[in-house]
Amino acid sequence: MADKRADKVTITEVAKLAGVSTATAGRVLGGYGYTSEENKEKVRRSAEALGYRPNLLARSLITGKTKTIGVVAGDIQSPFYASILRGIADVARAQGFGVLLTNSDELLDREIEAVQLLLEKQIDGLIVAPCDTSGSQHLHAAAASGCPIVQIDRRVNGLSADSVTLDNCGAASDSITQLLAAGHRRIGMVAELERWEFGDMETFIDRVIEGSIDPASLFPSWQRLFGYIEAHRAAGLLIDRNLIGRVGTYSVKAARTATMELLSRPNRPTALFTADGLMSAVAMDAITSLDLQIPTDLSLICFDDLDWMSFLKPGITAIAQPLTEMGEASARLILARIGGEGGEEQHQVLKHTLALRGSVMAPQAGRA
Amino acid sequence: MADKRADKVTITEVAKLAGVSTATAGRVLGGYGYTSEENKEKVRRSAEALGYRPNLLARSLITGKTKTIGVVAGDIQSPFYASILRGIADVARAQGFGVLLTNSDELLDREIEAVQLLLEKQIDGLIVAPCDTSGSQHLHAAAASGCPIVQIDRRVNGLSADSVTLDNCGAASDSITQLLAAGHRRIGMVAELERWEFGDMETFIDRVIEGSIDPASLFPSWQRLFGYIEAHRAAGLLIDRNLIGRVGTYSVKAARTATMELLSRPNRPTALFTADGLMSAVAMDAITSLDLQIPTDLSLICFDDLDWMSFLKPGITAIAQPLTEMGEASARLILARIGGEGGEEQHQVLKHTLALRGSVMAPQAGRA
DNA sequence: TTCTATTGTGAGAACGTTCGCACAATCGGA
DNA sequence: TCCGATTGTGCGAACGTTCTCACAATAGAA
């Protein structure tokens, strides 16, 4: 009980027992170079006998490869990141890679700190959901120092790194079009819409309509608003700014306030579009507490298909993101780069699927 | 573009630029030993100028500590593991530790493979939800080789390692008692109940009643059944074996079959107890499709408090596990062991909370 | 003065691998 | 016979740190 680690069996001891040099033992165990069948057997047997376990640190130090990819997620606890992570981990495992996980809580400082730690641990590649799409010096620096990066869910402006995102505009626009087709003209939307660096929301709406914004540079919730606006424009309808609940922060409380405000006003919307899972859960809660019936009092389409949406009384029509696929795609991209694959920056934009259920119907008489 | 890594700035170069030995530079940057203020300044400035970033691999190789803890979860995608992982990651981060993640899908082979990889990567400690509670040679070996282990959710028999679990018996027994108190006498239960090595379910029930089973050695779903039986026994009631839906495997399909079978039989139970999140979701789905009303047609208590349970029409009464706390506790335990803390094996058994909502009422006339 | 403690420095050996190199032995073909 | 290719081996130098020494300089105490 005196010594803490009985772990100490190195390749040297294996070599000694097998009666060969460490180089030969290394060749057998590492699977590189030539070795005679005879020695192969001897070394393997000795390794077995001693319970030899290679020290990947030492190997990595010399090869410069750790076979580890770092992941900076927002919050693993959310189904969104959990599913993505699952996809990443599966692909990584299949290639013998480990996954070093951190979460940023969408806080820049924490992201910087996390990236720092991961780089010091010499990860071979980084998958990150960046929380600041404009600055992010740390990511530029990491990329410049040669660490492959794959961005997920959103993209940093001007960062030369691959990305995997969802066609948020298309998904939102699809849903809104669906509601418009059902006859709705007053469609509410609740979304985070935290920061937009170029001005207030009026400006944003105007600029989308005049076509001077590239959605690729936006945060998801803004992209979804973009889709909302686009769908209206395509239908030749004006936007009523009051129907857009801008929560401003990713919190249950703020979301609840915004949603309740939107749904309890005298001339409330006939349909609601929630821009992410948090908003959907809050909205559902608000709808229940206001005693509104879906879809008679209110039609509803939610971004993110959560498990409960399928077994509510009328099921909730929802936009399903291919989350594990996004994770898998990002892992494949990063592994390809690690494997030395060159070529153009890759920007994969995945498509949603719309799970049609029972939460949409035409607006009821006297309320349309 | 020719060289892949511009990363190459080592402590030697920093030392050279500062005009000191690598030993001195190491002392400044590593924060050990003595250095003059003057040299401290010079070294720091040089490090800054060169953009020096320590290589933790090299440090770990020599110190024997990686400041990394390995985690083997069942499936990160499930809210159960996701929340636990969140707790682990938070505590780890606060201490400057990284988290290396793998999932086993509750498959022994995969768990063995994962543990192997983690050990080769020289993790300082291992947090694992073991999928085999009886054999698990790999865990015994790991423990023997000096790697601290914390078991989570369940315990391997005879493995000397700390653990963090939930009082599953107590939680189940509480819920069943609640239902019995409401007047229910035919309480159904659906649970995984995959393997029990000592015989069939009759035997299990008998042995629980005669008191010859130590619940600590059981898998959670069996512990929950244990609680179910205990509560009945305490109330002086016999167990109707037909009310126990043994799914046998952790799959939606099997769960659905078992649940539908249980709920559609002529003399169906007046109350239902679901033993985990999967069973709850499936049960909810089955209840909806059978067009049963909660709580008039059926009372319901679920193990695991999922977000949707609070905003269904009548809320679902549920057992909430303190998941992030379990993660935090396990991380604290492992860090303490890594820090060299000796002493007795620790087995923390956390308590559930029962979230009372509207899914329980007295059985209705003609059905009791 | 002389001793001991404190503070500081650098050379060089770890840590456990992989890798370059030199060197052999064997084989087949010209 | 000689040659080159193929297969196999061991020595020792990496990799980028930390850590053990040996050794100084200074200061205060005896």
Side-chain angles (χ1 to χ4, degrees), chain B residues 134-147:
Chain B
S134 47
S136 290
Q137 260 313 305
H138 59 299
L139 295 181
H140 283 94
S145 84
C147 177

Side-chain angles (χ1 to χ4, degrees), chain B residues 55-315:
Chain B
N55 183 331
L56 297 191
L57 288 185
R59 173 179 302 175
S60 296
L61 183 58
I62 195 163
T63 60
K65 302 255 145 215
T66 51
K67 296 207 113 195
T68 303
I69 68 188
V71 176
V72 183
D75 172 16
I76 354 155
Q77 209 172 347
S78 82
F80 176 77
Y81 286 110
S83 294
I84 288 179
L85 191 58
R86 174 72 216 218
I88 294 174
D90 283 350
V91 172
R93 189 178 55 82
Q95 308 277 349
F97 274 70
V99 173
L100 208 41
L101 175 75
T102 55
N103 22 18
S104 68
D105 285 315
E106 314 288 357
L107 261 34
L108 184 57
D109 285 351
R110 217 169 271 188
E111 178 183 312
I112 293 174
E113 192 189 347
V115 169
Q116 168 91 358
L117 181 69
L118 295 175
L119 289 178
E120 292 185 354
K121 283 191 184 293
Q122 310 294 120
I123 50 165
D124 292 338
L126 178 66
I127 297 179
V128 56
C131 49
D132 183 356
T133 58
S134 47
S136 290
Q137 260 313 305
H138 59 299
L139 295 181
H140 283 94
S145 84
C147 177
I149 297 182
V150 171
Q151 311 173 72
I152 206 159
D153 194 41
R154 50 244 185 191
R155 291 170 49 185
V156 172
N157 270 314
L159 178 64
S160 74
D162 301 336
S163 70
V164 176
T165 52
L166 188 84
D167 178 14
N168 283 304
C169 293
S173 157
D174 254 28
S175 318
I176 300 301
T177 303
Q178 198 83 207
L179 290 170
L180 290 173
H184 293 275
R185 286 300 174 268
R186 313 195 62 256
I187 303 172
M189 170 168 176
V190 269
E192 182 182 358
L193 299 171
E194 183 154 9
R195 44 215 146 183
W196 183 59
E197 40 191 341
F198 305 115
D200 62 7
M201 215 163 67
E202 309 292 350
T203 322
F204 181 82
I205 295 173
D206 293 347
R207 290 194 48 191
V208 169
I209 289 172
E210 77 188 40
S212 70
I213 289 188
D214 171 20
S217 68
L218 299 171
F219 261 82
S221 73
W222 288 98
Q223 291 176 334
R224 291 166 195 177
L225 175 58
F226 190 106
Y228 174 98
I229 299 169
E230 276 287 296
H232 279 82
R233 201 185 48 107
L237 298 167
L238 291 177
I239 303 288
D240 178 355
R241 192 242 166 284
N242 293 314
L243 292 175
I244 300 171
R246 181 180 184 177
V247 174
T249 168
Y250 200 75
S251 86
V252 170
K253 206 173 150 211
R256 197 176 159 82
T257 310
T259 311
M260 289 300 279
E261 201 275 321
L262 185 64
L263 291 186
S264 49
R265 74 176 56 156
N267 192 20
R268 65 172 165 76
T270 60
L272 183 65
F273 174 60
T274 58
D276 65 56
L278 177 69
M279 303 303 152
S280 306
V282 168
M284 209 52 223
D285 197 43
I287 289 167
T288 305
S289 67
L290 287 174
D291 207 28
L292 296 176
Q293 296 305 312
I294 293 176
T296 44
D297 296 333
L298 186 76
S299 285
L300 179 65
I301 296 188
C302 292
F303 214 110
D304 280 338
D305 187 16
L306 305 176
D307 54 1
W308 50 268
M309 295 182 180
S310 56
F311 56 71
L312 282 188
K313 25 187 191 178

Side-chain angles (χ1 to χ4, degrees), chain A residues 47-345:
Chain A
E48 178 86 9
L50 295 175
Y52 170 73
R53 179 176 291 134
N55 183 332
L56 296 191
L57 288 184
R59 173 180 304 178
S60 297
L61 184 57
I62 195 162
T63 59
K65 302 256 145 215
T66 51
K67 296 206 112 195
T68 303
I69 68 187
V71 175
V72 183
D75 173 15
I76 354 157
Q77 208 171 348
S78 82
F80 176 76
Y81 285 112
S83 294
I84 289 179
L85 191 57
R86 175 72 216 220
I88 295 174
D90 283 350
V91 172
R93 188 179 56 82
Q95 308 276 349
F97 275 70
V99 172
L100 207 41
L101 175 74
T102 55
N103 21 17
S104 68
D105 286 314
E106 314 288 356
L107 263 31
L108 184 58
D109 286 353
R110 218 170 269 186
E111 178 183 311
I112 293 175
E113 192 189 347
V115 169
Q116 168 91 357
L117 180 70
L118 295 175
L119 289 178
E120 291 185 355
K121 284 192 184 292
Q122 310 294 120
I123 51 164
D124 292 338
L126 178 65
I127 297 179
V128 57
C131 48
D132 183 356
T133 57
S134 47
S136 292
Q137 260 313 304
H138 59 299
L139 294 181
H140 283 93
S145 86
C147 177
I149 297 183
V150 171
Q151 312 174 70
I152 207 161
D153 193 41
R154 51 242 187 194
R155 291 171 49 185
V156 173
N157 268 314
L159 178 64
S160 73
D162 300 337
S163 70
V164 176
T165 51
L166 188 85
D167 178 14
N168 283 304
C169 293
S173 156
D174 254 27
S175 318
I176 300 301
T177 302
Q178 197 84 208
L179 290 170
L180 290 173
H184 293 276
R185 287 299 173 269
R186 312 196 62 256
I187 302 172
M189 169 170 179
V190 270
E192 181 182 359
L193 300 171
E194 184 156 6
R195 45 215 145 182
W196 183 60
E197 40 191 342
F198 304 115
D200 61 8
M201 217 163 64
E202 309 292 352
T203 321
F204 182 81
I205 295 173
D206 292 347
R207 291 193 47 192
V208 169
I209 290 174
E210 78 187 38
S212 69
I213 290 188
D214 171 19
S217 67
L218 299 172
F219 261 82
S221 72
W222 288 98
Q223 292 176 333
R224 291 165 195 177
L225 175 57
F226 190 105
Y228 173 98
I229 298 169
E230 276 286 297
H232 278 81
R233 201 184 49 107
L237 297 168
L238 291 178
I239 303 288
D240 178 356
R241 193 239 165 284
N242 292 314
L243 291 175
I244 300 169
R246 180 179 185 178
V247 174
T249 167
Y250 200 73
S251 87
V252 170
K253 207 173 147 210
R256 197 176 158 80
T257 310
T259 311
M260 289 299 279
E261 201 276 321
L262 185 63
L263 291 185
S264 48
R265 75 176 54 157
N267 192 19
R268 63 172 165 77
T270 60
L272 181 65
F273 173 60
T274 59
D276 64 56
L278 177 69
M279 303 303 152
S280 306
V282 167
M284 210 51 223
D285 197 44
I287 289 166
T288 305
S289 67
L290 287 175
D291 209 28
L292 296 176
Q293 296 305 313
I294 294 176
T296 44
D297 296 332
L298 187 75
S299 286
L300 179 65
I301 295 187
C302 292
F303 214 110
D304 280 336
D305 188 16
L306 306 176
D307 54 2
W308 50 267
M309 294 181 180
S310 56
F311 55 72
L312 281 186
K313 25 186 193 181
I316 308 294
T317 293
I319 296 166
Q321 301 192 54
L323 296 172
T324 46
E325 288 81 353
M326 285 171 69
E328 288 166 3
S330 60
R332 272 194 297 267
L333 275 178
I334 204 84
L335 288 174
R337 293 296 181 193
I338 291 170
E341 216 158 275
E344 286 292 290
E345 250 175 69

Side-chain angles (χ1 to χ4, degrees), chain B residues 19-21 23-24 27 34-36 39 61-62:
Chain B
V20 297
S21 69
T24 303
R27 276 187 279 257
Y34 298 111
T35 3
S36 64
N39 279 345
L61 183 58
I62 195 163

